[in-house]
Amino acid sequence: LSGPREIGIIDRDALTKEREAGEASPPSVSPRPRPPIADECNPSPVRVVPPTRLVEVRVPQFAFGNVLGDMRRWLDHQRCDPSRFTCVREGSGAVIVRVEFPDEIEDKADAFEKQFAASSAMAAGR
């Protein structure tokens, strides 16, 4: 995982049962030592994920490197930090670039979509 993340244990009893089941393994298999589970744990508060605006841009395979570089430069120039940036390749070879923007910068999401939806449509028509 990249970036700061938190892991919360939802079902502590199931985790304890799994640990105990692992300790009852056959003698031929030496279980790895496991850290002790604290008697009392305070659960972490559930963090509310802020709403985001998803922008998807379909990029032809041959233009992917150039368009991705243009996107990065645009985001840097706008001093815009998206919540998430992912790429998924289609069976045709084209790449769907998904960029999630926090709702508080929806104007930048709109500008990004206008900029790159147009440029990827032009690249597809080449």
Side-chain angles (χ1 to χ4, degrees):
L1 299 176
S2 63
R5 300 279 194 259
E6 288 185 32
I7 297 175
I9 298 172
I10 297 171
D11 189 350
R12 201 170 294 279
D13 293 335
L15 182 63
T16 302
K17 287 177 188 174
E18 184 175 311
R19 177 177 180 245
E20 290 169 357
E23 290 174 353
S25 58
S28 62
V29 177
S30 57
R32 290 183 288 162
R34 299 177 189 223
I37 295 177
D39 291 336
E40 259 185 67
C41 293
N42 295 325
S44 301
V46 175
R47 193 185 305 183
V48 176
V49 177
T52 59
R53 162 86 190 290
L54 177 66
V55 176
E56 289 189 351
V57 179
R58 187 173 190 275
V59 181
Q61 181 177 3
F62 67 86
F64 178 68
N66 291 335
V67 172
L68 200 61
D70 291 345
M71 287 178 173
R72 184 72 261 164
R73 281 187 289 285
W74 188 93
L75 291 166
D76 290 345
H77 180 73
Q78 298 294 321
R79 297 179 186 205
C80 181
D81 191 19
S83 303
R84 182 175 294 164
F85 197 104
T86 56
C87 301
V88 178
R89 185 177 301 269
E90 292 183 322
S92 66
V95 179
I96 303 296
V97 178
R98 295 182 178 131
V99 184
E100 290 183 45
F101 293 87
D103 269 358
E104 63 266 11
I105 58 170
E106 188 169 349
D107 57 331
K108 294 200 182 197
D110 290 338
F112 181 88
E113 185 171 38
K114 285 179 188 173
Q115 174 74 27
F116 292 101
S119 67
S120 66
M122 286 181 4
R126 285 185 201 167

